[in-house]
Amino acid sequence: MSATASAPYIKLAEYHQRCREQARDLPMQQDAVSYWSGVGFVLDGKKYVAPLDEVSEILTVPSYTRIPGAQSWMKGIANVRGRLMTVMDLSGFLEKSSPVQERRRRLLVLDQDDLYTGMTVDEVLGMQHFPIDEFVESLPVSDPSVTGYVRGAYRREGEYWSVFSLSRLAEDPRFMQVARTG
């Protein structure tokens, strides 16, 4: 091999050697942390996180048509891009009141099987990522109205973010019974 033909090979060998030297200080693969992701939101002054696979989208509260004879927390029906979506007030369903004006609130949309519904929350905090090993399964829930919908929590900077399952909420027969009784 001539000197001019081996020059690129020598240059590549030098690059390889420098990369190996620089890589010594990088963390090893086993040091990588796995994360769980969800959509953070505020309800009644508390921080929650909904599993990412349960939130199909986040919307501002659309114009909706009220339904006579429905529960007060069933706000109405909205046309969202040609689909009819029920608009529910999550605070109202949990027998709480929100201090946030409706036009400032947001909808977490659940699109699961035949159910297409938006649930108003006080504020959406965007995507949240938590190290999987920081999940606390048996955390005492301070608010009994959410007990059936919360499955553990993640701790960040001294506060807990409860994992709020929209799917569990949708499975609750009370949530599906929107007609006012009596």
Side-chain angles (χ1 to χ4, degrees):
M1 204 186 303
S2 71
T4 55
S6 64
Y9 176 77
I10 292 170
K11 198 63 153 170
L12 282 174
E14 289 173 1
Y15 287 151
H16 176 73
Q17 182 61 32
R18 277 193 284 168
C19 285
R20 302 294 285 167
E21 289 170 3
Q22 296 294 324
R24 286 188 191 131
D25 295 332
L26 294 175
M28 296 184 67
Q29 190 167 1
Q30 67 248 27
D31 293 342
V33 176
S34 296
Y35 286 90
W36 178 89
S37 298
V39 177
F41 65 97
V42 176
L43 192 65
D44 195 33
K46 295 176 183 70
K47 291 182 179 176
Y48 295 93
V49 62
L52 199 54
D53 62 345
E54 293 184 7
V55 179
S56 63
E57 61 185 316
I58 300 164
L59 301 172
T60 57
V61 179
S63 298
Y64 54 82
T65 302
R66 292 196 181 273
I67 306 298
Q71 297 279 2
S72 60
W73 46 266
M74 199 300 194
K75 299 312 245 176
I77 302 289
N79 182 338
V80 178
R81 293 181 300 283
R83 283 182 78 188
L84 291 180
M85 176 178 69
T86 56
V87 178
M88 311 287 205
D89 179 10
L90 189 53
S91 293
F93 175 75
L94 297 171
E95 298 179 359
K96 309 228 175 277
S97 62
S98 174
V100 181
Q101 295 175 340
E102 186 171 277
R103 64 184 164 86
R104 294 188 56 224
R105 299 178 85 200
R106 296 291 177 257
L107 285 182
L108 296 181
V109 179
L110 176 65
D111 189 357
Q112 192 173 33
D113 301 323
D114 291 333
L115 183 63
Y116 184 55
T117 188
M119 288 153 278
T120 60
V121 296
D122 295 341
E123 181 181 2
V124 172
L125 303 173
M127 289 263 291
Q128 302 295 318
H129 309 283
F130 301 93
I132 288 176
D133 60 350
E134 292 186 16
F135 181 72
V136 179
E137 196 166 334
S138 57
L139 180 70
V141 179
S142 60
D143 185 353
S145 67
V146 298
T147 302
Y149 317 114
V150 169
R151 56 171 204 238
Y154 287 95
R155 185 180 169 109
R156 178 185 292 153
E157 298 173 3
E159 70 179 323
Y160 287 99
W161 292 61
S162 297
V163 178
F164 192 101
S165 174
L166 300 177
S167 294
R168 282 188 181 178
L169 177 69
E171 292 169 358
D172 186 337
R174 293 182 312 116
F175 184 75
M176 298 305 290
Q177 180 58 45
V178 297
R180 207 175 313 146
T181 55

